[in-house]
């Protein structure tokens, strides 16, 4: 895998990124260490985490993933210099009262304090890519569909400019090398860029949004905004929380045979966009298409993201070394033009059910 640039930043990373949100919940510390070691051997030098993790979020596992990653780095002298490490500050509380007391805002001071906490847990002098996990503004995200202008006008939250100035301060202080967004809209991306250029502040390098066969919303405008402003897409959930592996095709999401898939394990996950009946229906169609072309569902879904022009790096989340190796092996899969046409035809039929 040849490395790719992230936006206009100096960061260059592998086009496959190891997501770590399973560490501390589905994966214990020893298992996480094995996965991290093998990822390095396979050429992955980009690791993404967040202060909120592990997932599903719980008070008891808040910060657990960063702590595990910090212990792994401390036990492997010299490894830090080979890696690009990304983490995220959680946005306004989504029912998580253990994060900043359940605040409905994310202030400039909150951003700086959260970054310093991540630095301590990771045991590093600087974070390579520091991201806002989700917008403070009330916008459609995590399964919501529509923008509500009345709600947006009533919201009393920290402005984009104030948040950007906090991120700029972290860059100037040498605590962060580059900044990014996550779960952001085309407007949000453009506004962050506009303000950076207007005031000479740090420029957003990346946007980490859901992207895969059952959620291709970034293809509807975000792709143009990112291309025009030279901002890189980090695609998360390319397998739709396991829907696109095929393991739920026969028995659905409520059969113990599906375990340890997170959609079968956790009731909270069954309330999310990935568990919608129409999402499973669409996934079954894509998975059938993959098998008709001699591919595993996992290979087709990942190959689609790996080769998409708009995707800089695809974030894979695994619970075992075997899953990691299967996901990386999909890098060598090429999808024929006729197969891509049939994929698009399925999108026209099923839409984006996990938006």
């Amino acid at each position: 895998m040849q490395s790719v640039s992230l936006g206009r930043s100096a960061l260059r990373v592998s086009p496959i990124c190891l997501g770590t949100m399973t560490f501390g919940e589905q994966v214990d510390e020893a298992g996480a260490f094995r996965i991290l070691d093998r990822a390095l051997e396979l050429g992955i030098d980009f690791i993404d985490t967040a202060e909120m993790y592990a997932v599903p979020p719980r008070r008891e596992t808040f910060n657990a993933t960063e702590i595990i990653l910090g212990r792994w780095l401390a036990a492997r002298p010299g490894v830090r210099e080979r890696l690009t490490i990304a983490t995220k500050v959680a946005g306004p509380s989504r029912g998580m009262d253990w994060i900043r007391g359940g605040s409905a805002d994310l202030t400039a001071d909150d951003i700086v304090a959260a970054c310093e906490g991540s630095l301590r847990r990771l045991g590093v002098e600087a974070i390579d890519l520091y991201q806002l996990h989700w917008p403070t503004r009330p916008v459609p995200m995590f399964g919501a569909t529509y923008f509500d202008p009345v709600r947006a006008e009533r919201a009393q939250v920290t402005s984009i400019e104030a948040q950007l100035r906090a991120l700029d301060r972290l860059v100037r202080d040498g605590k962060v090398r580059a900044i990014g967004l996550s779960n952001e809209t085309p407007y949000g991306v453009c506004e962050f860029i506009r303000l950076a250029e207007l005031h000479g502040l740090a420029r957003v390098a990346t946007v980490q949004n859901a992207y895969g066969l059952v959620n291709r919303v970034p293809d509807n405008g975000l792709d143009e905004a990112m291309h025009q402003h030279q901002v890189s897409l980090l695609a998360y959930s390319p397998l739709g929380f396991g829907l696109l592996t095929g393991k739920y095709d026969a028995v659905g999401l409520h059969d113990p045979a599906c375990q340890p898939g997170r959609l079968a394990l956790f009731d909270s996950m069954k309330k999310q966009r990935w568990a919608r009946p129409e999402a499973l229906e669409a996934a079954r169609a894509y998975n059938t298409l993959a098998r008709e072309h001699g591919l595993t569902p996992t290979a087709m879904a990942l190959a689609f993201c790996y080769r998409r022009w708009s995707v800089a790096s695809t974030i894979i989340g695994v619970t075992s070394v075997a899953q990691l190796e299967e996901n990386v092996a999909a890098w060598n899969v090429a999808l024929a033009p006729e197969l891509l046409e049939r994929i698009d035809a399925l999108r026209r039929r099923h839409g984006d059910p996990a938006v």
Side-chain angles (χ1 to χ4, degrees):
M1 297 181 288
Q2 293 185 339
S3 62
V4 297
S5 295
L6 296 185
R8 293 186 186 176
S9 77
L11 301 180
R12 291 191 63 84
V13 302
S14 53
I16 299 176
C17 173
L18 180 64
T20 60
M21 72 180 190
T22 60
F23 297 176
E25 182 64 66
Q26 290 176 268
V27 181
D28 62 16
E29 185 167 305
F33 280 25
R34 288 191 294 271
I35 290 168
L36 288 160
D37 288 340
R38 183 61 177 140
L40 268 183
E41 293 172 353
L42 292 170
I44 296 175
D45 61 16
F46 189 17
I47 299 175
D48 180 72
T49 187
E51 68 164 350
M52 187 191 76
Y53 294 166
V55 169
R58 296 188 294 125
R59 188 185 308 274
E60 296 79 8
T61 58
F62 180 48
N63 300 154
T65 304
E66 286 187 334
I67 291 170
I68 289 172
L69 184 54
R71 288 173 177 164
W72 177 75
L73 290 169
R76 288 161 178 64
V79 163
R80 169 66 185 103
E81 289 70 27
R82 298 165 54 189
L83 296 173
T84 297
I85 297 177
T87 192
K88 302 182 282 292
V89 52
S93 175
R94 298 175 58 81
M96 297 175 285
D97 60 5
W98 56 91
I99 303 179
R100 285 178 283 282
S103 173
D105 196 7
L106 178 66
T107 68
D109 288 343
D110 290 336
I111 292 170
V112 173
C115 179
E116 291 172 347
S118 290
L119 287 168
R120 288 192 299 270
R121 288 185 291 273
L122 293 167
V124 298
E125 293 183 357
I127 293 164
D128 297 307
L129 178 66
Y130 197 55
Q131 306 154 98
L132 303 183
H133 206 151
W134 57 88
T136 306
R137 315 178 321 278
V139 300
M141 56 183 170
F142 300 124
T145 305
Y146 300 111
F147 174 73
D148 183 346
V150 175
R151 184 171 171 233
E153 289 170 6
R154 291 176 178 171
Q156 300 294 317
V157 295
T158 298
S159 68
I160 287 177
E161 181 177 338
Q163 292 182 332
L164 182 58
R165 287 188 181 277
L167 293 169
D168 179 76
R169 171 184 162 187
L170 291 171
V171 172
R172 293 179 187 275
D173 288 347
K175 296 177 180 178
V176 167
R177 294 180 61 199
I179 62 171
L181 307 172
S182 186
N183 299 294
E184 191 52 275
T185 67
Y187 166 79
V189 172
C190 293
E191 186 66 359
F192 269 94
I193 294 295
R194 185 186 72 83
L195 291 169
E197 294 179 346
L198 179 65
H199 299 294
L201 302 173
R203 198 176 193 281
V204 166
T206 60
V207 177
Q208 182 181 148
N209 276 22
Y211 185 73
L213 295 177
V214 292
N215 184 339
R216 290 175 57 182
V217 171
D219 288 339
N220 297 341
L222 183 63
D223 52 356
E224 180 187 11
M226 298 179 74
H227 174 74
Q228 297 293 350
H229 291 300
Q230 294 178 275
V231 175
S232 296
L233 177 62
L234 307 180
Y236 78 76
S237 293
L239 294 176
F241 269 46
L243 288 180
L244 294 165
T245 66
K247 63 186 172 186
Y248 298 115
D249 284 4
V251 294
L253 309 180
H254 302 278
D255 192 299
C258 291
Q259 303 210 22
R262 69 191 71 157
L263 288 176
L265 276 173
F266 305 111
D267 288 340
S268 60
M269 294 293 183
K270 293 183 176 68
K271 301 174 184 177
Q272 296 187 15
R273 52 185 160 166
W274 312 104
R276 293 171 181 161
E278 56 269 32
L280 178 58
E281 179 186 359
R284 284 171 170 151
Y286 286 114
N287 298 340
T288 297
L289 179 63
R291 297 183 186 103
E292 289 173 353
H293 283 75
L295 299 171
T296 66
T298 297
M300 187 181 83
L302 288 175
F304 176 82
C305 288
Y306 289 163
R307 294 293 185 264
R308 193 70 180 171
W309 70 265
S310 56
V311 176
S313 191
T314 301
I315 302 172
I316 57 172
V318 302
T319 57
S320 69
V321 169
Q323 284 184 353
L324 172 68
E325 292 174 341
E326 179 186 14
N327 288 2
V328 174
W331 178 259
N332 297 314
V333 174
L335 304 184
E338 56 270 24
L339 177 52
L340 291 171
E341 290 176 2
R342 293 192 62 185
I343 286 173
D344 281 345
L346 285 179
R347 188 195 183 198
R348 288 191 292 273
R349 184 182 309 165
H350 293 279
D352 294 308
V355 62

